[in-house]
Every structure is written in C-alpha cells, then in structure tokens.
Amino acid sequence: MTTPPSMRPDVLTARERVLLEAFVDEHRENLRASLDGLTEEQARRSLVPSRTTLLGLLKHATFVEQVWFDEAVTRRSRAEIGIPATPDDSFVLAHDDTVASVVAAHEAACTASRAAVADLGADDLLLGNRRGPLPLRWVLAHVLRELAQHCGHADILREQVLRDDAGVTSPGPEPGVSPTSSGPSAG
C-alpha cells in the first residue's frame, strides 16, 4: 500500500501550501479510485433522485478543476473552456463517457490545475471567479472541502452498488440510532 500524499514525511512538516496541495491530491486520487473495478453500468448506476452517479461525480470533479484552476486563473469563460455553465449540468453523462475517458479527463484536468498555479503564491489572488478575487489559499481549501464531500458521496454510492450486486439487503438503523444522528443516544 502506498503512503497517502498527506502522510509523506516531507508533507508532515511542510508549509501550508504544500500541505493543502497534498490533501487535494489525495482526495483527487481517492475519488478516481472509487471507480476501480466497477463495470460501466455500475459506474453509471443512479441510486439517488439527483443526477449523482459515481461516474458523474468524477465528471463533476473535472468541472471543479476547470472552474477553479482555469476559469479563476485565466479569466476565460466557461464557454471558452468548453465546460457546462452550471455545476448541476456537470454531472450529466454523455453517451460516449466511459470510466476510462472520464478518469483520463480528470487526470488531465488535475495536471493542468497544478501547472496553472505552480508559479503562484498562496496569497496571490485569482481574479476570474464569479465571487470576485480570491486568494489561492482559499481556493485550495475550498476545492479540498468539495472533494472531501464528493469522496464521502462516492464511498456511499460504491458501497450501495457493490451491496446491491452481491444481493445483500441493507440493514435498518441500529437500535437507538436515528437516521439523522451520528450514533446511539447519550441518555
């Protein structure tokens, strides 16, 4: 098993920028890994009322890379970049989207993202975001937050797909645990 980027010895004592980038890279890899070993059908399977699928999550993450590290850095429009106008539309899968093609697009977008900010400092402002100028530090933290949320979504979706395909029925909640609580009641 390889050491996660955030746990490499050089990262543990690194400055904030290096640490943030390591966590972002780790979550980029984790989201791609959520598709490992799945069939095309499993990756596209819709299990929730929204457009969210495992493959759609990675396609959306590619959009996120392009919004934050192309649009915000270069100030090019989404139309010029060739990405959807809205986040919701970024989950839509084209007929020819495959696990391999979406993974490759995500890897390429991540490589381009790293290159786009390589010469910038954490306090440098990215001027092309709709919210106005934002420091790179904030953008890295925001992208990390978004990737972490989507990794959690992917974990749950992957578990559902694999359980469904194994014919395992989902158990109900543990006694004393409501669907909105994080554990048994403390009383």
Side-chain angles (χ1 to χ4, degrees), residues 40-181:
E40 296 294 331
E41 183 277 327
Q42 289 171 320
R44 287 175 164 272
R45 191 176 300 166
S46 178
L47 299 167
V48 294
S50 70
R51 295 177 170 171
T52 306
T53 64
L54 283 162
L55 193 58
L57 278 170
L58 191 61
K59 189 167 182 177
H60 170 71
T62 303
F63 166 84
V64 168
E65 295 286 336
Q66 294 168 311
V67 165
W68 288 107
F69 300 111
D70 191 339
E71 180 182 39
V73 174
T74 68
R75 299 164 87 174
R76 295 188 312 151
S77 71
R78 292 179 184 189
E80 290 173 294
I81 297 167
I83 59 176
T86 69
D88 284 347
D89 290 340
S90 70
F91 285 89
V92 175
L93 296 171
H95 182 70
D96 59 347
D97 283 333
T98 65
V99 170
S101 70
V102 174
V103 166
H106 185 254
E107 288 173 340
C110 293
T111 299
S113 295
R114 287 185 208 95
V117 298
D119 295 331
L120 299 178
D123 293 325
D124 286 347
L125 294 178
L126 306 185
L127 303 175
N129 187 265
R130 295 169 183 198
R131 292 175 181 88
L134 295 166
L136 177 58
R137 166 186 294 104
W138 186 94
V139 169
L140 288 168
H142 174 75
V143 169
L144 173 59
R145 176 181 61 191
E146 183 151 344
L147 288 170
Q149 288 173 331
H150 292 321
C151 282
H153 300 147
D155 285 346
I156 292 167
L157 290 174
R158 183 179 171 90
E159 180 180 336
Q160 286 180 307
V161 164
L162 296 176
R163 287 176 64 87
D164 287 353
D165 288 356
V168 177
T169 58
S170 298
E174 292 179 42
V177 177
S178 73
T180 58
S181 73

